[in-house]
Amino acid sequence: MKHQMSRGKFIRLGGLTLAGALISDVVFANDFIKDSKPKIDSLLMKKLILNNDAKVKSFLDKDPIVANNRISNFRPIAGLISTMTASISNSGSAYYKSKILADKLNQAMDVLLKEQYPDGTLDAGGNRQSPPDTAFILEYICPAAAVLNEAKQKDLEGLRNKMKTFIVNAGEAMATGGVHTPNHRWVVCAALANIHSLYPDPRYLRRIDQWLAEGIYLNEDGQYSERSGVYSVVIDKALITMSRLLNKPELLDIVQKNLTTYYYYTEPNGNLVTVDSKRQDQFMNLTVSKFYLPYRFMAIHTKNTMFAQMVNLIENLPDFTSETLSGSLLFFMENSELQQQISNESQLENNFEKFFALSNLARIRRGKTAITLFGGNDKPLLIVSGRSSNPNFLMYRKGDAILKYMRLSTSFFRMGYFSSDGIVKQGNKYILTETKEADYYQPLAPEFLKSDGDYKLSPSQDGRFWNKMDFDSRTKSNVKKQVTVIEIAENNGTLNLDFKVDGPPNVEVTIEMCFKEGSEITGAIMDDKNNYFLNSGLGKLSMGADTIEFGPGKVEHQNVNNLDSEDITYHQGNLRTDGIHVYLTGFTPFRHTMTIG
């Protein structure tokens, strides 16, 4: 492996050595302007300094750091260290060379050193002596050390030595410690790259090579294995760090593909589609603001107008100040390439249909209408980190009018929500299908009988329950099947839906629509539990000047409890979310067609 250039030299060169290494496979941009000095986005830098100072002031107005307090989450302290370092080292800051900040920084580093274990690790909540969680802390501490080393303030020599002690100690954990999840490998590698750039040691490079030898998984949809917005940005940042500091430009090709996917996963208001995630964000609301630094870095490197547009979108989101301006100054100082201006002249047309076949997810944009279809859960369904299990199969937005999700559930053996076995695309039609099966069991054959009745504790063959019944030795009988087919056709932003549910007769079927809180619903009737039922005709959702019409309605029963499977309801749990819920209901054999537009 080639040794990387020093971090200081990289910063002084302006970070342009990788320019032109990539060309977008989506949007081709103009060539770099040769022999022209990059222009600094001075307005953005002023905003970063002002907001960083505001965060420092807010911290100084609060209670001081108490070294004796027991702490189990060190990211807030690491974030404060990065924020204070940026202000004390930036000549444009009101806190430049502040003695008060110097004292606070020393106190904060004393806390980290006190809590650091002899093996170099820190705790993180339930994760004890955790190498990967320590790597997340180094994501802040290493750039802080780099900026302090570059500034060379004499009265901060003691602080720099404390940071070096902490970082070198943590380097032992990074060079030998293990991980939990796929993204942890690359976070640890990024930490090792950061440490090596500050305090070179060939062991760090060998450990990076050992992890990289496993390969970085990115499928044809542009998704990492966890298919998660939370962890995609974690990996993108880690790969960018390794690319910069280890002279590995090939890693940026992976980042580029992932960021292209998240362009399509971004809603008009900046929210991210997370329904297909295999991690905790499949039930969370995220915005694309978390991707700001990767998009900005890659927009500058590739001149990709798609990425530049994403940068401009994020800079105009309501959470840009809280997500970015108040905590990113240090990273702009450590990597001055981020300071370059980005053109906002080009605007891409928001009119596309993109089918991610491996994720079984479709994204459609028609102006201000945005549609998501999903049918890619992991079977058998389990509510656990690392598996996709979200029951939302359709999401629909038209400006501020938002259908958060549509679900379908039946009372068939209380097996819960519809979860499609993938998506088949035929022309402008998407077909989602699921087959559920439940069994009964015959008496045991003579060779399996026990006089004391103490049979093997085992799960039923359909996985619905456990008992001392030795199910594997029994013959199944009276097998019941239910087949659900949902066909969805899109025409210029309007959806036509055709529902078919077949199997045993008289099974309750419930179509559930959840609209954004604060929406006004007309055409449907509310019951005493604040649920709406659309008996017939069209319903309308209104939010400001935007509306969504849906229907016609159908109501043959009003039992909308226990829509989740017994896996969840047995423990008094449910997947119902906040919002305004509208229901259509019927019985098998169930047939219904409706439109949303």
Side-chain angles (χ1 to χ4, degrees), residues 539-554:
K540 179 185 288 188
L541 153 74
S542 300
M543 178 69 84
D546 297 313
T547 62
I548 297 174
E549 288 192 333
F550 52 94
K554 179 176 186 174

Side-chain angles (χ1 to χ4, degrees), residues 295-426:
Y295 271 123
R296 186 172 189 89
F297 180 88
M298 293 297 289
I300 292 167
H301 259 292
T302 67
K303 301 300 181 186
N304 184 325
T305 57
M306 174 186 285
F307 296 166
Q309 180 170 317
M310 293 301 288
V311 170
N312 292 315
L313 168 68
I314 295 170
E315 289 179 347
N316 286 284
L317 293 178
D319 67 350
F320 179 60
T321 296
S322 60
E323 281 287 336
T324 303
L325 288 179
S326 63
S328 297
L329 177 60
L330 180 77
F331 303 111
F332 280 74
M333 294 170 64
E334 186 263 344
N335 177 16
S336 60
E337 185 176 1
L338 291 171
Q339 300 178 21
Q340 295 179 29
Q341 283 186 351
I342 295 176
S343 172
N344 60 2
E345 296 176 358
S346 176
Q347 291 292 319
L348 300 180
E349 183 181 7
N350 286 321
N351 193 318
F352 60 76
E353 181 174 357
K354 188 77 172 178
F355 182 38
F356 297 93
L358 295 179
S359 301
N360 286 292
L361 183 140
R363 285 283 294 157
I364 303 171
R365 284 284 299 272
R366 306 298 182 209
K368 67 177 183 178
T369 298
I371 301 165
T372 305
L373 306 178
F374 176 61
N377 286 330
D378 296 320
K379 302 291 183 76
L381 286 178
L382 295 173
I383 308 299
V384 64
S385 179
R387 294 180 71 87
S388 174
S389 57
N390 197 308
N392 305 343
F393 66 85
L394 186 154
M395 287 65 70
Y396 187 97
R397 295 168 178 245
K398 187 186 291 182
D400 291 330
I402 297 176
L403 170 59
K404 294 169 65 174
Y405 60 77
M406 176 180 277
R407 300 173 178 173
L408 183 146
S409 183
T410 75
S411 61
F412 179 80
F413 290 86
R414 296 299 176 194
M415 296 180 75
Y417 284 111
F418 167 84
S419 177
S420 184
D421 299 316
I423 299 179
V424 175
K425 188 176 188 301
Q426 294 181 354

Side-chain angles (χ1 to χ4, degrees), residues 3-4 195-202 204:
H3 287 247
Q4 86 293 346
I195 299 169
H196 182 73
S197 71
L198 292 165
Y199 315 111
D201 187 324
Y204 302 149

Side-chain angles (χ1 to χ4, degrees), residues 79-99:
L80 282 174
I81 289 172
S82 70
T83 301
M84 291 190 291
T85 297
S87 284
I88 202 172
S89 306
N90 193 299
S91 60
S93 167
Y95 297 96
Y96 182 52
K97 296 185 177 180
S98 164
K99 294 187 180 299

Side-chain angles (χ1 to χ4, degrees), residues 106-346:
N106 275 286
Q107 291 174 27
M109 283 308 307
D110 288 342
V111 171
L112 291 186
L113 288 168
K114 176 178 176 293
E115 297 295 337
Q116 190 176 37
Y117 288 100
D119 67 355
T121 61
L122 294 169
D123 293 331
N127 294 337
R128 316 313 294 175
Q129 297 174 265
S130 170
D133 288 293
T134 306
F136 281 111
I137 300 301
L138 291 168
E139 185 179 351
Y140 297 95
I141 304 302
C142 287
V147 168
L148 287 174
N149 290 347
E150 192 74 16
K152 295 184 174 65
Q153 294 184 35
K154 290 184 179 180
D155 57 345
L156 297 181
E157 183 177 357
L159 175 63
R160 293 195 295 271
N161 288 335
K162 289 179 182 179
M163 284 190 176
K164 180 178 180 179
T165 298
F166 178 84
I167 291 169
V168 172
N169 288 345
E172 295 299 314
M174 299 301 100
T176 61
V179 301
H180 285 148
T181 60
N183 71 83
H184 282 173
R185 295 170 295 178
W186 319 129
V187 174
V188 167
C189 285
L192 287 164
N194 269 311
I195 299 169
H196 182 73
S197 71
L198 292 165
Y199 315 111
D201 187 324
R203 293 182 305 150
Y204 302 149
L205 300 179
R206 288 196 294 269
R207 187 61 164 179
I208 291 171
D209 286 343
Q210 189 177 5
W211 285 119
L212 286 176
E214 294 188 3
I216 302 169
Y217 177 83
L218 187 84
N219 66 24
E220 293 181 6
D221 284 349
Q223 288 281 17
Y224 300 114
S225 63
E226 293 169 289
R227 222 162 60 189
S228 161
V230 168
Y231 295 107
S232 287
V233 69
V234 166
I235 297 174
D236 288 341
K237 287 181 178 179
L239 297 185
I240 288 172
T241 295
M242 284 190 278
S243 174
R244 289 175 48 230
L245 300 181
L246 301 176
N247 191 25
K248 291 181 175 292
E250 66 275 9
L251 296 179
L252 297 184
D253 184 50
I254 300 173
V255 176
Q256 177 171 267
K257 292 176 181 176
N258 183 251
L259 292 181
T260 299
T261 292
Y262 275 94
Y263 165 81
Y264 293 108
Y265 271 54
T266 301
E267 300 283 19
N269 67 349
N271 286 356
L272 286 178
V273 171
T274 61
V275 66
D276 62 332
S277 172
K278 293 175 178 286
R279 298 298 303 276
Q280 68 269 24
D281 53 314
Q282 65 181 280
F283 295 106
M284 293 168 58
N285 292 322
L286 300 178
T287 73
V288 73
S289 293
K290 294 185 179 297
F291 283 83
Y292 180 72
L293 293 180
Y295 271 123
R296 186 172 189 89
F297 180 88
M298 293 297 289
I300 292 167
H301 259 292
T302 67
K303 301 300 181 186
N304 184 325
T305 57
M306 174 186 285
F307 296 166
Q309 180 170 317
M310 293 301 288
V311 170
N312 292 315
L313 168 68
I314 295 170
E315 289 179 347
N316 286 284
L317 293 178
D319 67 350
F320 179 60
T321 296
S322 60
E323 281 287 336
T324 303
L325 288 179
S326 63
S328 297
L329 177 60
L330 180 77
F331 303 111
F332 280 74
M333 294 170 64
E334 186 263 344
N335 177 16
S336 60
E337 185 176 1
L338 291 171
Q339 300 178 21
Q340 295 179 29
Q341 283 186 351
I342 295 176
S343 172
N344 60 2
E345 296 176 358
S346 176

